[in-house]
């Protein structure tokens, strides 16, 4: 009984209204006096409550002496309230975003390897159209099955893979400088953009149990997701160009793009991400 009262309160009844409705389900039609005894509430509050329930069309009174009351059927009640709640939710979905016209999705920091893996898996599960991703081979193994599930539901998969990367599906662009990049960063990057609407960028530390240096940012901010996707796409461009113009690239820029890096970053730069 207490559970039913609490559940009715969750859909908008107060305690007296819930008790009166349940009492009428036990015995109807019933007088106000009978309802008061069944519900174990003061008689004065019973009549006030019955009046409110009549106005809500949850209870119907009969023109008798004394007046008797009958509840609507439980199925009728739940259907009526489900319709009302759904209508309210739809209204809020439509109009709440209008309150702040310049609303921007937040950028959330997520720490810890397991938390990062769970969030990446969630983003993959949410994808409906496409996934662009940069990932190390050892981390990819954690995501492989969920990526395969996405691929099987016709989500396009394009990956920049690091460190002897292999995949049975999707399009893979293998990055040649995985070890140098990992040493420079002190960890392995995890980057993902899904459906132009959800993105992740960050790293997993190469050191065991290094929670402080194992973190990502996750966001649904479309401007940030656009930048993440652009980063991945430009990596893919460069990888493909280098694979097809190996000797020309080496001649123009030197081994490992050294002359290009010196030009962009300066000869003494320690930044060697690419």
């Amino acid at each position: 009984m207490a559970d039913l009262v609490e559940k009715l309160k969750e859909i908008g009844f107060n305690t007296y209204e819930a008790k009166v409705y349940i009492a009428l389900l036990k015995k109807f039609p019933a007088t106000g006096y009978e309802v008061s005894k069944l519900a174990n509430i003061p008689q004065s509050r019973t009549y006030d409550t019955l009046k409110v329930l009549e106005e809500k069309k949850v209870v119907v009174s009969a023109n008798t002496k004394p007046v008797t009351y009958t509840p609507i059927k439980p199925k009728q009640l739940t259907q009526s309230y489900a319709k009302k709640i759904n209508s309210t939710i739809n209204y809020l979905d439509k109009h709440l975003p209008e309150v702040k016209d310049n609303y921007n999705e937040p950028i959330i920091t997520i720490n810890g390897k397991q938390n990062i893996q769970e969030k990446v898996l969630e983003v993959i599960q949410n994808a409906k159209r496409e996934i662009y991703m940069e990932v190390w081979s050892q981390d990819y193994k954690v995501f492989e099955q969920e990526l395969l599930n996405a691929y099987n539901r016709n989500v396009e998969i394009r990956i920049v893979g690091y460190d002897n990367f292999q995949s049975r599906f999707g399009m893979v662009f293998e990055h040649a400088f995985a070890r140098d990049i990992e040493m420079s960063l002190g960890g392995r990057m995890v980057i993902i953009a899904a459906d132009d609407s959800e993105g992740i960028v960050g790293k997993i530390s190469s050191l065991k149990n290094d929670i402080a240096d194992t973190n990502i940012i996750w966001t649904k901010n479309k401007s940030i997701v656009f930048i993440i996707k652009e980063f991945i796409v430009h990596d893919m461009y460069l990888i493909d160009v280098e694979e097809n113009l190996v000797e020309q690239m080496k001649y123009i820029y030197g081994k490992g793009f050294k002359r290009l890096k010196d030009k962009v970053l300066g000869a003494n730069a320690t930044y060697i991400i690419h």
Side-chain angles (χ1 to χ4, degrees), residues 188-213:
R188 304 180 301 278
M189 290 186 297
V190 178
I191 309 172
I192 184 169
D195 296 340
D196 297 323
S197 61
E198 195 168 8
I200 282 173
V201 61
K203 71 173 181 177
I204 296 173
S205 174
S206 298
L207 302 174
K208 291 183 178 180
N209 303 320
D210 189 354
I211 296 176
D213 207 28

Side-chain angles (χ1 to χ4, degrees), residues 1-23 25-26 38-39 41:
M1 183 70 68
D3 289 343
L4 286 174
V5 170
E6 291 304 313
K7 291 300 178 183
L8 285 168
K9 287 168 67 176
E10 287 180 17
I11 65 169
F13 283 53
N14 65 30
T15 301
Y16 285 136
E17 290 166 357
K19 287 183 175 182
V20 165
Y21 179 72
I22 292 169
L25 289 178
K26 292 179 180 178
L38 285 167
I41 61 176

